[in-house]
Amino acid sequence: MDKKKGSWESSGCEKGGISRLFANSAHMAKELFSVEEKNDRPRNFALSPLSIDLVLHMLAAGLKGNTLEQMLKFLESESRDEILSKSRNMMDVLDTLSSNEGENDNVLCMVNGIWVDEHCPLIESSQPDESEPSYMEQPNEPSYMDQILIKIFKPLEWWTKLTHGLTMHQKDSLKTLFPTGCLIKSQDFFLANALYFKGMWDSEHIFDEALTDSDERYFYTLDGEKVSASFMTSVQKYHYRSFDTFKVLKIPYQKRVHGKFSMYFFLPDSQYGLPNLLEELSGHPQEDYFDLEEVKFEELWIPKFDFSYNFDVAATLKKNGFPSMEDSKDFSKMVKIRRGVPNFSTNMFQKVVIKVDEKGTEAATVTDFDFPRSARSKLMNFVADHPFMFMIKEENSGLIFFMGSVLNPSL
């Protein structure tokens, strides 16, 4: 990545920063798992850490007062100026990565957006509407819409990029990203973003579709049941490493003109090891999780999966110190607040759609065995026949675009 334009080092991913971002992402995954394990039928879940981080920076850039102080602490930043600097660099990096010129089947697009109630419009210029008194204290400061939203986060530009080059089927699928009922009249303020990724497996790491379902295979769930599933397999070499209680496998996507993407699979050794794995990754992250060696497997089986997941981001982050954001005065850099509006309601949701098969991955966002094991052979095995975690990561920047867990590929 060009350090003069959009160096991710200045955006918080300096040495050691990747581990922190990975730990925060794993912590969110752990929170989502804790919700799902209480359900009678736990669902597969996924989230986009990058998408959430982007929206939080977009929000923090327009805050003030105590809410800003809480958000700075949450984002581990010293000042609003630091938030703006990180946001500029973040968007420069993403602008480069999302350039799809010269790409064939690989697509990366993103859009940012804000919706507000008509009674609390965005501040469109540096001069407030004097006919409607507000809480804005510095009328000559740069406006949130002109100087921050448009110049840094570029919502109109990103929307053009999001739809450019996509097929009608892909454009229609984007309509399903927003959770049902997320835009309702009772809400004063709504932040949203959409991220679309399509990557084909690298030609040296493809799966033979003829071998899928060549024989019946089962996936063993956390409740002790087994379900039939379609498993992909390959005789190619893959990057891999075994740790104390889990294994890591990397599958690269076709190289892009800008960016190098891979999918990682974190497989617990135990059928019931996913909770301990999420605890380990959120509490003791290590950068050598991604320091893998190329090996050839005796057995390699990964289930195909295709699911969607939506959740309340704010509720998920609350245990980690996410601010309540109720004081309307603290939003006055962003929107015009009418007198007599003491409190403000905010909502932040995310929905992720992901599909993994023999050809590659398409993802978007707007979160005991019946038989004994045989003796280990000298060759490595990677049989993902029980709950595991996955991640889509850009190698140069360290950005984590998607993360989630498969608890039952048949759902």
Side-chain angles (χ1 to χ4, degrees):
M1 189 65 61
D2 184 356
K3 292 188 177 183
K4 293 183 179 179
K5 180 182 180 182
S7 168
W8 196 254
E9 291 184 3
S10 58
S11 298
C13 279
E14 63 280 354
K15 187 176 181 180
I18 294 176
S19 292
R20 178 182 59 81
L21 294 175
F22 177 59
N24 291 342
S25 302
H27 179 80
M28 286 197 66
K30 185 180 72 171
E31 292 296 325
L32 293 177
F33 173 76
S34 68
V35 172
E36 290 304 320
E37 69 175 342
K38 297 175 183 177
N39 295 331
D40 294 334
R41 194 180 188 189
R43 299 177 296 165
N44 304 318
F45 62 87
L47 67 146
S48 173
L50 170 62
S51 185
I52 293 172
D53 197 48
L54 183 62
V55 169
L56 293 181
H57 277 76
M58 185 164 55
L59 173 63
L63 295 175
K64 59 183 287 188
N66 183 59
T67 306
L68 173 60
E69 294 302 317
Q70 293 183 59
M71 185 63 77
L72 290 176
K73 182 178 179 180
F74 183 80
L75 295 176
E76 300 184 21
S77 297
E78 295 295 328
S79 65
R80 184 170 174 270
D81 287 341
E82 183 178 337
I83 288 291
L84 293 176
S85 178
K86 287 182 178 180
S87 298
R88 290 188 187 96
N89 283 284
M90 184 189 303
M91 292 302 298
D92 283 343
V93 170
L94 294 173
D95 191 28
T96 300
L97 290 177
S98 63
S99 174
N100 294 304
E101 295 181 7
E103 304 292 344
N104 295 318
D105 296 322
N106 297 312
V107 180
L108 175 65
C109 303
M110 182 184 288
V111 59
N112 300 319
I114 292 182
W115 286 262
V116 294
D117 186 272
E118 61 181 359
H119 298 297
C120 297
L122 286 170
I123 297 173
E124 299 184 10
S125 67
S126 60
Q127 295 295 331
D129 183 356
E130 295 181 357
S131 65
E132 292 287 351
S134 72
Y135 292 130
M136 192 174 184
E137 298 176 354
Q138 298 177 341
N140 294 319
E141 66 181 4
S143 75
Y144 178 78
M145 175 176 279
D146 294 340
Q147 303 299 321
I148 296 177
L149 182 61
I150 293 178
K151 288 192 175 181
I152 297 179
F153 295 99
K154 311 169 186 176
L156 298 179
E157 177 183 335
W158 282 95
W159 175 250
T160 301
K161 292 181 179 179
L162 182 70
T163 57
H164 179 68
L166 301 185
T167 66
M168 287 303 298
H169 172 72
Q170 292 167 337
K171 291 178 182 179
D172 289 340
S173 68
L174 292 174
K175 298 177 182 178
T176 68
L177 285 177
F178 291 96
T180 302
C182 67
L183 295 177
I184 57 179
K185 293 182 179 179
S186 62
Q187 292 179 341
D188 300 315
F189 189 82
F190 184 78
L191 292 172
N193 68 92
L195 173 66
Y196 177 84
F197 170 82
K198 182 180 180 182
M200 311 302 288
W201 302 128
D202 180 81
S203 59
E204 296 181 359
H205 299 84
I206 59 175
F207 292 93
D208 187 345
E209 293 185 56
L211 297 178
T212 302
D213 296 327
S214 59
D215 59 357
E216 189 176 45
R217 300 194 69 89
Y218 292 107
F219 186 94
Y220 299 85
T221 65
L222 291 174
D223 59 9
E225 296 184 358
K226 65 178 183 180
V227 296
S228 297
S230 297
F231 280 78
M232 309 179 295
T233 189
S234 174
V235 297
Q236 305 298 327
K237 291 183 177 181
Y238 290 85
H239 284 84
Y240 164 91
R241 186 171 177 180
S242 178
F243 294 87
D244 288 341
T245 60
F246 63 94
K247 307 170 183 178
V248 180
L249 174 77
K250 180 179 81 169
I251 306 180
Y253 296 102
Q254 292 178 5
K255 292 183 179 179
R256 295 172 54 88
V257 176
H258 302 286
K260 182 180 179 183
F261 289 82
S262 301
M263 182 170 237
Y264 289 82
F265 296 86
F266 291 74
L267 177 67
D269 293 338
S270 167
Q271 175 184 345
Y272 306 102
L274 181 61
N276 290 335
L277 171 62
L278 293 173
E279 185 70 33
E280 171 73 17
L281 299 184
S282 62
H284 306 284
Q286 301 178 32
E287 293 187 17
D288 58 1
Y289 290 157
F290 308 108
D291 184 14
L292 312 179
E293 297 181 356
E294 192 173 52
V295 301
K296 187 175 180 63
F297 293 97
E298 182 180 38
E299 279 193 283
L300 181 124
W301 295 93
I302 299 174
K304 298 164 57 175
F305 53 91
D306 182 356
F307 68 90
S308 64
Y309 187 79
N310 60 277
F311 66 102
D312 185 330
V313 176
T316 305
L317 293 174
K318 190 170 295 183
K319 291 183 179 180
N320 200 32
F322 190 69
S324 59
M325 298 185 295
E326 295 179 351
D327 191 340
S328 58
K329 292 182 180 179
D330 292 347
F331 289 81
S332 60
K333 287 181 177 291
M334 190 183 303
V335 294
K336 295 181 180 180
I337 309 296
R338 269 50 175 180
R339 298 289 185 186
V341 183
N343 296 316
F344 215 56
S345 64
T346 60
N347 289 280
M348 185 175 175
F349 298 93
Q350 185 175 86
K351 181 174 181 179
V352 174
V353 179
I354 186 163
K355 177 181 180 181
V356 173
D357 59 22
E358 298 91 343
K359 297 179 181 179
T361 302
E362 189 171 13
T365 183
V366 155
T367 189
D368 106 341
F369 301 122
D370 283 349
F371 52 90
R373 292 285 188 177
S374 59
R376 292 180 180 270
S377 65
K378 293 183 179 179
L379 291 175
M380 302 295 182
N381 293 330
F382 194 93
V383 181
D385 60 359
H386 54 277
F388 59 87
M389 193 187 87
F390 63 85
M391 174 193 308
I392 297 177
K393 175 174 171 281
E394 201 284 310
E395 303 291 358
N396 297 323
S397 65
L399 292 177
I400 299 174
F401 279 71
F402 294 93
M403 174 184 281
S405 289
V406 175
L407 306 183
N408 184 343
S410 68
L411 295 179

